[in-house]
Amino acid sequence: MTAERPNALRLNAADNVVVAMRRLIAGERIDGEGLATAEAILSGHKVAVRPIRAGETVHKYGQVIGVATLDIAPGAHVHTHNMAMSSLREGAQAGAVQRQEAPRSFEGYRRATGKVGVRNYIGVLTSVNCSATVARHIAEAAERRGLLDAYPDIDGIVPITHASGCGMAGSGEGFEVLRRTLWGTAANPNFGGVLLVGLGCEVIQIGRLKSDYGLTEGDGFQSFTIQDTGGTRRAIEAGLERLADMLPKVGAARRTTVSASEITLGLQCGGSDAWSGVTSNPALGVASDRLAGLGGTVILSETPEIYGAEHLLIARAASTEVADKLRARLAWWEGYTARNGAEMDNNPGPGNKAGGLTTILEKSLGAVAKAGGSPLMDVVEYAEPIAAKGLVFMDSPGFDPCSATGQVASGATMIAFTTGRGSAFGCKPSPSIKLSSNTDIYRRMDEDIDIDCGPIAVGEATIEQKGAEILDYLLEVASGRKTKSEALGYGGAEFVPWQIGAVM
């Protein structure tokens, strides 16, 4: 007979709360804690296991996740009604651990730049929102006319459109962020070719972009403006002609065996719940550590969602300089949110709270688990090119499509995305792999989610086992296996550059 599973989970001996493994009824005894619930508790939510006085810190994961706003009795539900944000950072800070891995490989596309892609797309990129419709029409017309029929090794033509490019200053932070994002996306090795389409009078001028970033016209890159071409219809035809010129070169690319060290993986979490920090994020952390041990690059982002857990990353920084760069980005965010009348604890959102997460501290401690325990090798700004191997932090908002857009522009050729509430997302040209934190959401959204990490919570799998499964799947996808998001056609509408500064 299988032993009955405990109805609550203690994550650290120092914690004064436990997590309900299922819905608990009022008066139900909590296994191993010698007390009963004072009220009904939803699955994933917190239960006090000793008296917590008003003003006393609440601990989960062995870390501070908030402060009690009321006296909390043992067995009581601990959530937004009796706990709030805390400025304290307490708890154990483990040093970095560098894993050693036997060499592994995948089948990828080696580009002329020396970088390796896992997909072979053509992108129709726009300099400004005014050219978005033309870009979409070019991609749709190419599909209708069957331009790719003779090129089975091209994964598709992707229109990359956005809402900016004009009505902004021609210099400064916002201008540079958008330019980096456009250039970095065009340079992602998952694109075998890129067509850049502008209007002609926008702030982001194609000629200046090409000059500043050394972009030259050729088989893999073409550009034009709608105004110079003579309007919408002529621009669409011109775009189709440029694509036809690109197709033979892009279609001739073939996969070859390359080292797993060539993978750059972006880490994302969205629709998080209380199980994300217990199952899927730690499992992805194992896969991240193993990929770093193979010589690959792993990008952690979403700066507002490491707030409260930054001390764990700083303790693993490869140098004082790297630690100071991370502190500087957090200080920038504190000023940025204050200028806009917001607070860092405005996150978590309603779905996160319904899933049991109360403060950004609690959410961040779970989110940082995606990054495993590898040394933090560098900190870069949004969409800044990444040169370091191993774990790198890229500054970004916590809005998943915006964060992933920056990661792809920084060089991410794959995205691993954990979710507890269920997220619908893709990120062409980089395939997105979905990992569920709980089995319930996996069953409800099995057509969207690739791997279920829920078995970790009930003892049917270990974090190490799921981490190994994730790494194996990553290598299969890198070699051409389609993810579920790809099969559903996601990724063509999720290009969301970070807009900073005034829209004028």
Side-chain angles (χ1 to χ4, degrees), residues 102-315:
R104 299 186 68 174
S105 63
F106 70 99
E107 302 299 307
Y109 294 98
R110 176 76 69 177
R111 304 300 186 189
T113 60
K115 296 180 180 178
V116 176
V118 305
R119 294 292 183 267
N120 192 33
Y121 281 109
I122 293 177
V124 185
L125 191 63
T126 53
S127 62
V128 66
N129 179 256
C130 305
S131 56
T133 295
V134 165
R136 286 198 300 269
H137 283 334
I138 290 169
E140 291 164 1
E143 183 176 350
R144 286 196 306 272
R145 297 184 189 185
L147 290 190
L148 295 184
D149 290 351
Y151 301 97
D153 290 300
I154 298 178
D155 289 300
I157 298 173
V158 186
I160 304 290
T161 64
H162 58 97
S164 187
C166 206
M168 62 191 304
S171 61
E173 192 170 32
F175 179 76
E176 292 302 331
V177 164
L178 182 57
R179 277 162 39 96
R180 280 202 309 267
T181 306
L182 294 173
W183 170 77
T185 300
N188 190 288
N190 286 342
F191 280 130
V194 169
L195 174 63
L196 178 58
V197 182
L199 177 61
C201 56
E202 59 268 27
V203 172
I204 299 291
Q205 286 283 301
I206 288 179
R208 181 178 170 188
L209 190 71
K210 289 163 59 178
S211 174
D212 289 351
Y213 286 105
L215 301 172
T216 57
E217 305 271 333
D219 292 332
F221 178 78
Q222 295 282 320
S223 67
F224 65 86
T225 68
I226 297 168
Q227 291 169 352
D228 286 344
T229 308
T232 298
R233 294 187 185 279
R234 292 187 181 94
I236 293 169
E237 290 303 319
L240 291 168
E241 291 172 6
R242 303 290 184 98
L243 289 182
D245 291 341
M246 285 185 188
L247 290 174
K249 176 73 172 179
V250 178
R254 294 292 181 272
R255 291 184 181 272
T256 59
T257 302
V258 294
S259 167
S261 63
E262 301 289 355
I263 291 176
T264 299
L265 176 68
L267 308 178
Q268 290 291 322
C269 59
S272 299
D273 69 352
W275 299 117
S276 297
V278 178
T279 61
S280 54
N281 287 351
L284 179 55
V286 168
S288 299
D289 284 343
R290 294 188 62 181
L291 182 59
L294 289 165
T297 302
V298 179
I299 310 173
L300 179 67
S301 299
E302 301 180 292
T303 313
E305 297 188 11
I306 67 158
Y307 188 74
E310 69 275 8
H311 57 294
L312 303 180
L313 292 171
I314 288 169

